[in-house]
Amino acid sequence: MFWKSTRPKAFASASCLFFSVLTATSASAAAPSVPMFGSYFPSWLLSFGAAVCLTVIARVVFVTVGLEDILRWRGTLYLCLVAGLTALIDVFVI
């Protein structure tokens, strides 16, 4: 019964931490755009371009190491890698 009594507390603290991080990152930027070449580009678009480049580099590394042959669902893997890298770059870099 110890597990059942601590689970709601752990879930509540984890959800509070998640929502506080979410609100802190969304409130820090006024507009998600970056001025380049005299116009404003969405920051997610620049993050997406960087994520695609990093995913291509990761694929080259996977092929040279020999990991590409044992990976299943390669299309889904690379799509999720692009999406995850886009989110990380957008939140932490730009």
Side-chain angles (χ1 to χ4, degrees), residues 2-51:
F2 177 72
W3 181 71
K4 288 183 180 179
S5 65
T6 59
R7 185 174 181 199
K9 291 178 187 176
F11 179 73
S13 63
S15 63
C16 287
L17 177 67
F18 176 72
F19 287 119
S20 65
V21 168
L22 236 158
T23 57
T25 56
S26 65
S28 62
S33 59
V34 178
M36 289 183 63
F37 307 115
S39 64
Y40 289 98
F41 287 98
S43 63
W44 64 266
L45 188 61
L46 297 175
S47 301
F48 179 75

Side-chain angles (χ1 to χ4, degrees), residues 12-88:
S13 63
S15 63
C16 287
L17 177 67
F18 176 72
F19 287 119
S20 65
V21 168
L22 236 158
T23 57
T25 56
S26 65
S28 62
S33 59
V34 178
M36 289 183 63
F37 307 115
S39 64
Y40 289 98
F41 287 98
S43 63
W44 64 266
L45 188 61
L46 297 175
S47 301
F48 179 75
V52 168
C53 293
L54 288 174
T55 303
V56 168
I57 292 170
R59 184 183 183 278
V60 169
V61 169
F62 290 163
V63 168
T64 57
V65 171
L67 191 61
E68 176 93 15
D69 297 332
I70 62 172
L71 290 175
R72 296 180 63 192
W73 300 88
R74 293 181 193 138
T76 307
L77 172 84
Y78 292 127
L79 182 65
C80 290
L81 189 61
V82 167
L85 286 174
T86 300
L88 285 174

